[in-house]
Amino acid sequence: MDPNEAIELFIWAIEKPDDEDKKRQLVIAFEKDPETVLNAVHAVAQERGLYPPHYDYQVPEDAIPTWKNCIDEQPCVPLEYRYPKSLKELVGIIGEAEHKKASVRAIGSGHSFSDITNTQDAVLVDPHEGLKQVFSVDASILHDGSDPANMIRAQCGITVADLNKELDARKLGLINMGAYDGQTISGALSTGTHGSGAKYGPMADFLLSIVLVTESGKVYQIEPSPSSTPQPITDPAKFPGHLPEAPDIPAELKQDDDWFRTAKVAMGCLGIIYSYTIRVQKAFSLSEVRTMTTWEDMKPLLSSSLWPPPILQNTDHFELLINPYAQGDSTHKCIQVKRTREELTNPRGARLTGIWRWLEELGVKNSAALVVLLNTVPGWFNRGAINGALGFLKDSDPPYVDVSHTVFTLGIENTMKAWAVELHIDAADDCVGAIDKVLAAFETLGWYIAGPLGIRFVKSSDAFLAPQAGRFTCTVELDMLYGIHHDHDLLGKVKEIICRTVGGVGNHSVRVHWGLDWGFTTPDDVRKWYPGLGKWQGVYRELNKTGMFDNAFTKRLRLRE
């Protein structure tokens, strides 16, 4: 396509928004030559100032740099930044903050889209550079029968991606993980990050021990109680009262179920986590097969009176990608994803066809221009373009096989500036009906989402505030490119509709993932959703008496009440 013709066509679509014929021509041009059209959009967007402005937060003069999350939202001006390189330094930072009566908050990759980290005038502790070691577990302090070969201890600042590299070198692997690996391990675990699988809960459920520094500077190693199943890994009679790498810092072994179930998913509210002991396994491969189908064909397979139904019981990791907008025959195009665990083997196959890999790279490179294009002709693009994208996502030569963490992650898509809301539904309580209600919500709203719905199934968790707490969970993720018009309104409205129409309390409620909250969750929501909230609050008040680790998030949800 001639570049000047593409520019003229896009300008016409901007200036004549009611000309449906020109919009259709623009869509056809994009389908034939996406690179030329995106280059044209970029040129016009730059000239006319169509790109969304940066967040307009007024930073006081002479203030230290503002902290923002990964999408440049949730800005706050801290009192200071601190970068500990050891447990001793971390304890010292807490002690100094206590003396100043300052708030403290740990920061990671900023991959939360709510106010979990937003703490004004606080000491922000960034462990990413200084606390990212991975240790072997000291077998001499474990209960008889505990196998240190299936455990590692990781400091809080290491990212999931770097942890996977360390595990690769040891021929080990995480048992399960989410689709994004740029978070620090502490951020991922503390917010209930999960993968998929009827046998696998959120990542926090593979924790064996948590080392936490509290507001007084006291260090606790937190584990389940001796009466738990499975039992705690550490033998109290063998515990030396300190960590191997920090013999001069006293640590108390606390084996208590309420403490452990609270600390597993605590959103940074109890203190600063220094390290985790995590159950891992021998490195393995995943074989992935993607099949084109429709949501209407999948519904009977998920409507079994037995739960989980055979399709989930017989698949290690099962997911769906559903176009929220119906085709002409009223069906919703869908990709079924099945992943099977197998012995570590050589990689083979590919997740995407060659043309889709090119389109994906093109979309990442020109994501801002793509957002402008979607905002200009939203109805034309979103309904049909998602169907086209799903067609490319189907494997042309299955299966795709690689080391587990490579298959679990999305890949280059993770570099795009995007955000999401994720709803957690009681899977056994008519998850099919709930998903239908989500699809119906999209048909009634006048705004458009930029991608398919991601559906996953997750085993229940015993962590008090895990979104998967107490029930087998169906998760519905609604992804949105940053800058799409009415994105916040659309996802907030969907959350409101689903929480109202699906309803439920306690283990039958619809919940929102902590890291993908956007501030939609209310104090009433939390009290309705989580039966274990009272016990969680009891530990929270005990460890965070002065409110050192409180912030916008804890105040919004009134967690101290």
Side-chain angles (χ1 to χ4, degrees):
M1 185 179 188
D2 179 77
N4 291 326
E5 181 183 351
I7 289 174
E8 291 177 6
L9 194 58
F10 180 61
I11 291 175
W12 186 280
I14 295 173
E15 297 181 347
K16 306 287 185 179
D18 296 329
D19 191 333
E20 297 298 318
D21 182 61
K22 287 293 184 181
K23 289 182 180 179
R24 181 178 59 82
Q25 290 181 40
L26 183 60
V27 172
I28 292 172
F30 178 79
E31 291 173 346
K32 291 181 177 179
D33 190 353
E35 187 167 19
T36 298
V37 171
L38 286 177
N39 285 338
V41 172
H42 175 66
V44 175
Q46 279 196 315
E47 180 182 343
R48 298 196 174 197
L50 300 179
Y51 286 137
H54 292 292
Y55 200 98
D56 188 23
Y57 183 76
Q58 298 301 313
V59 180
E61 290 185 12
D62 302 321
I64 59 176
T66 305
W67 182 88
K68 299 177 184 179
N69 64 8
C70 65
I71 54 172
D72 296 330
E73 293 280 350
Q74 297 298 328
C76 61
V77 178
L79 181 68
E80 59 182 306
Y81 288 98
R82 298 298 297 270
Y83 305 91
K85 297 180 181 179
S86 67
L87 179 59
K88 184 175 184 178
E89 288 188 15
L90 180 56
V91 169
I93 290 168
I94 299 295
E96 292 173 17
E98 182 185 26
H99 179 71
K100 297 175 183 176
K101 300 188 183 307
S103 297
V104 178
R105 202 70 178 173
I107 57 175
S109 64
H111 195 68
S112 172
F113 306 140
S114 74
D115 48 7
I116 281 178
T117 306
N118 193 323
T119 316
Q120 193 75 16
D121 296 323
V123 177
L124 294 190
V125 178
D126 186 349
H128 178 54
E129 292 301 323
L131 296 177
K132 55 182 181 179
Q133 288 184 276
V134 177
F135 305 104
S136 297
V137 174
D138 182 5
S140 68
I141 67 170
L142 301 182
H143 278 294
D144 295 340
S146 296
D147 185 2
N150 293 324
M151 310 171 189
I152 55 94
R153 187 161 62 86
Q155 289 181 319
C156 59
I158 193 168
T159 63
V160 177
D162 286 342
L163 177 58
N164 280 321
K165 292 176 184 177
E166 292 286 338
L167 293 175
D168 280 344
R170 293 167 166 81
K171 300 189 184 307
L172 296 170
L174 292 173
I175 296 172
N176 203 8
M177 58 174 281
Y180 181 74
D181 60 4
Q183 317 103 310
T184 58
I185 190 65
S186 52
L189 292 165
S190 293
T191 54
T193 297
H194 60 91
S196 64
K199 301 175 185 175
Y200 307 98
M203 292 177 69
D205 276 9
F206 304 108
L207 288 176
L208 300 169
S209 189
I210 302 166
V211 176
L212 178 77
V213 183
T214 62
E215 61 188 358
S216 65
K218 187 169 184 177
V219 179
Y220 289 99
Q221 180 164 315
I222 304 170
E223 297 181 2
S225 72
S227 61
S228 295
T229 303
Q231 288 194 316
I233 59 172
T234 304
D235 185 339
K238 301 176 183 177
F239 185 68
H242 60 78
L243 302 182
E245 72 276 16
D248 54 340
I249 302 295
E252 178 180 330
L253 179 63
K254 181 75 172 183
Q255 295 182 327
D256 180 282
D257 287 334
D258 284 357
W259 279 47
F260 189 63
R261 293 173 66 185
T262 296
K264 285 167 73 171
V265 178
M267 287 72 70
C269 299
L270 307 183
I272 305 293
I273 290 180
Y274 167 73
S275 69
Y276 294 102
T277 301
I278 306 171
R279 180 160 57 92
V280 294
Q281 69 172 78
K282 181 181 177 182
F284 62 99
S285 292
L286 281 173
S287 174
E288 177 181 278
V289 176
R290 295 180 175 226
T291 306
M292 181 69 73
T293 180
T294 66
W295 166 237
E296 288 66 27
D297 286 338
M298 294 305 304
K299 287 163 67 171
L301 301 178
L302 295 170
S303 299
S304 171
S305 58
L306 298 174
W307 197 265
I311 195 169
L312 298 183
Q313 289 184 8
N314 300 330
T315 307
D316 290 327
H317 306 277
F318 177 87
E319 301 178 10
L320 296 173
L321 298 168
I322 306 174
N323 189 344
Y325 305 108
Q327 305 177 98
D329 61 358
S330 299
T331 62
H332 294 80
K333 205 168 188 177
C334 174
I335 295 291
Q336 173 187 264
V337 182
K338 289 185 174 182
R339 295 181 180 136
T340 305
R341 301 158 82 93
E342 58 182 53
E343 292 290 325
L344 191 63
T345 186
N346 292 327
R348 64 181 186 275
R351 172 171 290 163
L352 306 174
T353 60
I355 188 171
W356 179 252
R357 285 196 295 274
W358 173 73
L359 286 171
E360 186 181 53
E361 292 170 2
L362 181 66
V364 171
K365 179 182 176 183
N366 299 281
S367 59
L370 182 59
V371 167
V372 172
L373 184 60
L374 291 170
N375 282 334
T376 305
V377 283
W380 277 96
F381 266 96
N382 295 68
R383 289 179 176 270
I386 296 174
N387 273 344
L390 290 176
F392 286 116
L393 285 172
K394 178 181 177 294
D395 276 327
S396 59
D397 184 26
Y400 163 49
V401 180
D402 209 332
V403 64
S404 59
H405 60 82
T406 300
V407 180
F408 279 136
T409 55
L410 286 177
I412 192 174
E413 289 180 51
N414 281 332
T415 64
M416 298 184 77
K417 197 171 184 179
W419 48 9
V421 161
E422 188 174 78
L423 306 174
H424 287 239
I425 299 163
D426 181 0
D429 187 19
D430 191 20
C431 70
V432 169
I435 294 170
D436 278 341
K437 285 183 171 67
V438 175
L439 296 174
F442 278 101
E443 291 297 338
T444 61
L445 298 171
W447 307 307
Y448 293 91
I449 196 169
L453 306 183
I455 310 297
R456 288 177 284 178
F457 296 87
V458 188
K459 184 182 174 184
S460 65
S461 172
D462 69 350
F464 290 134
L465 292 195
Q468 311 83 11
R471 85 275 179 96
F472 193 104
T473 297
C474 170
T475 73
V476 183
E477 184 171 328
L478 295 70
D479 293 308
M480 183 72 80
L481 289 173
Y482 182 75
I484 295 290
H485 290 166
H486 304 293
D487 48 8
H488 189 276
D489 297 330
L490 170 62
L491 298 185
K493 193 67 176 177
V494 172
K495 180 264 182 187
E496 176 189 326
I497 291 171
I498 300 308
C499 286
R500 183 179 70 247
T501 59
V502 177
V505 296
N507 290 337
H508 298 289
S509 60
V510 178
R511 302 166 181 161
V512 179
H513 189 289
W514 291 116
L516 308 176
D517 167 48
W518 282 34
F520 296 142
T521 301
T522 69
D524 288 342
D525 287 335
V526 176
R527 284 150 182 79
K528 182 172 73 172
W529 293 349
Y530 293 104
L533 175 64
K535 290 184 177 181
W536 186 96
Q537 287 177 303
V539 177
Y540 159 68
R541 295 183 187 116
E542 183 177 356
L543 292 178
N544 185 19
K545 291 184 177 70
T546 66
M548 176 182 283
F549 305 105
D550 289 354
N551 71 337
F553 170 78
T554 60
K555 293 170 185 174
R556 170 169 62 90
L557 297 179
R558 302 204 303 266
L559 292 177
R560 192 159 290 279
E561 294 180 10

